[in-house]
Amino acid sequence: MTEPTPHLSRVTVAACCPPLVTAALSEGDAETMAAMFKALADPVRLRLLSRVASHPNGEACVCDIADVGVSQPTVSHHLKKLREAGLLTSERRGTWVYYRPAPGVLASLGAFLADTEGAGKESLSLATRAS
């Protein structure tokens, strides 16, 4: 049985947020992205996401990723925050919960931050000359 993953927005990251340097964010998109970055701002959460994303099967049992220097209840709390931010999905199998990155979310975060073809360079150059 798949456990539903709560999302701040029903719109996927890929569909909602163009690269930062190509268009201004709407209020809703900014809230969605801010929640994701807020979740990633914690070093333990960032490590957990990295362990899940880099796991050989593309998913990881909580038993495989829990050794991040905090207690098991704290690991569960951090994984819950990553799910609530839309970064991870989870599935219970027997007594274990398996986590995987939400479909497309890592590529979308990267694309959102990417300076696509130097689009921000012209604005930066103009701002530097103006100061």
Side-chain angles (χ1 to χ4, degrees):
M1 174 166 68
T2 301
E3 181 178 308
T5 301
H7 291 281
L8 296 173
S9 169
R10 292 288 175 210
V11 180
T12 64
V13 176
C16 80
C17 306
L20 188 61
V21 297
T22 61
L25 284 175
S26 70
E27 185 176 339
D29 291 346
E31 288 179 17
T32 299
M33 294 303 291
M36 289 183 179
F37 287 118
K38 182 177 180 180
L40 291 174
D42 184 284
V44 172
R45 290 183 198 149
L46 192 54
R47 288 181 65 209
L48 286 168
L49 179 64
S50 173
R51 286 179 179 220
V52 170
S54 66
H55 201 270
N57 297 328
E59 67 177 6
C61 173
V62 70
C63 61
D64 295 330
I65 59 172
D67 60 333
V68 291
V70 295
S71 68
Q72 191 282 322
T74 302
V75 168
S76 294
H77 167 77
H78 286 305
L79 289 168
K80 177 183 175 187
K81 292 296 184 182
L82 290 168
R83 280 193 343 264
E84 288 174 345
L87 295 164
L88 291 178
T89 62
S90 63
E91 180 180 350
R92 179 171 295 280
R93 296 182 200 154
T95 58
W96 296 109
V97 178
Y98 288 78
Y99 293 88
R100 70 189 62 77
V105 75
L106 298 177
S108 296
L109 286 171
F112 173 73
L113 292 174
D115 185 2
T116 55
E117 299 181 30
K121 290 179 183 174
E122 183 178 321
S123 299
L124 180 60
S125 176
L126 291 173
T128 305
R129 280 186 263 160
S131 37

